[in-house]
Every structure is written in structure tokens, then in C-alpha cells.
Amino acid sequence: QVQLVESGGGLVQAGGSLRLSCATSGIIFSINGMGWYRQAPGKERELVAAISRGGATYYPDSVKGRFTISRDNAKNTLYLQMNSLSPADTAMYYCNLIVTPGSWGQGTQVTVSS
């Protein structure tokens, strides 16, 4: 059974940083592209970072230059370093596969105050 457990969220002031972690099990982590998604109240879920099995990364313009996605295949863990946070980044953050996402975990809440 696929398990995705996000952690590392919290309350941070604008301009601050957070590092999110996603512990996975039930998938062959090393051969799957992975991504971080976020969903704010009243908005659709959006992809904010992706990393291929080979380490190539993708970011939308909204976070480019501020967020960094990485993976540790030995630990089956995905990370998201978020810098220069703004209130617009406030959302529930989730991890999942990027090509064929499975069930979603509980996510981790990121709240950025002004």
C-alpha cells in the first residue's frame, strides 16, 4: 500500500524559510518522478515543484528561484526547501508521483503571515 507522509510545515513570517519532507513507502521511489503540490482554500491543487528519476527539476514561475526540490533515494524521501516565503504561499502542501499520482496523503500546512 502506498504511503505518503508529509511533514515540516508550520507558521512562518513573510521572508522566512521552511523545509518540507515527504516520507514514502509502497512505491519504487528511485524510478518515479515526484512532485510537490499545494492547495489553498477555494483553489485547485497545483504543482509547485517536480523532480525526475534522474534529478531534473521543474518549477512554475510562481516559485522559481525560491523553492528547491530534492530527493534522497536511499531514504525514499522527497524534500522541498522553500525560501523567501510570502502569504501567497499559504496552502496545504502534498507530495505525490507526477506522471500517475496515486492517493493523496494528509499534507502539511504552510501558513505565511504578513
Side-chain angles (χ1 to χ4, degrees):
Q1 182 175 337
V2 176
Q3 296 280 353
L4 304 168
V5 182
E6 300 91 346
S7 63
L11 176 64
V12 65
Q13 290 185 308
S17 299
L18 286 172
R19 182 174 172 84
L20 308 184
S21 297
C22 170
T24 75
S25 63
I27 63 171
I28 307 176
F29 180 83
S30 63
I31 67 170
N32 282 284
M34 299 293 296
W36 283 98
Y37 305 76
R38 69 185 181 190
Q39 187 168 30
K43 298 183 179 180
E44 295 184 347
R45 183 181 289 112
E46 63 173 336
L47 180 71
V48 297
I51 185 167
S52 73
R53 60 185 291 179
T57 57
Y58 162 82
Y59 309 93
D61 289 342
S62 59
V63 308
K64 192 173 298 180
R66 300 188 298 117
F67 289 11
T68 303
I69 189 171
S70 61
R71 63 192 299 159
D72 187 336
N73 289 344
K75 297 181 178 180
N76 293 336
T77 301
L78 186 72
Y79 303 97
L80 183 67
Q81 178 67 45
M82 305 185 295
N83 299 325
S84 301
L85 287 164
S86 71
D89 297 313
T90 295
M92 187 72 73
Y93 284 72
Y94 304 87
C95 62
N96 216 322
L97 287 73
I98 57 172
V99 176
T100 54
S103 298
W104 299 90
Q106 292 188 335
T108 185
Q109 178 67 42
V110 171
T111 302
V112 185
S113 65
S114 60

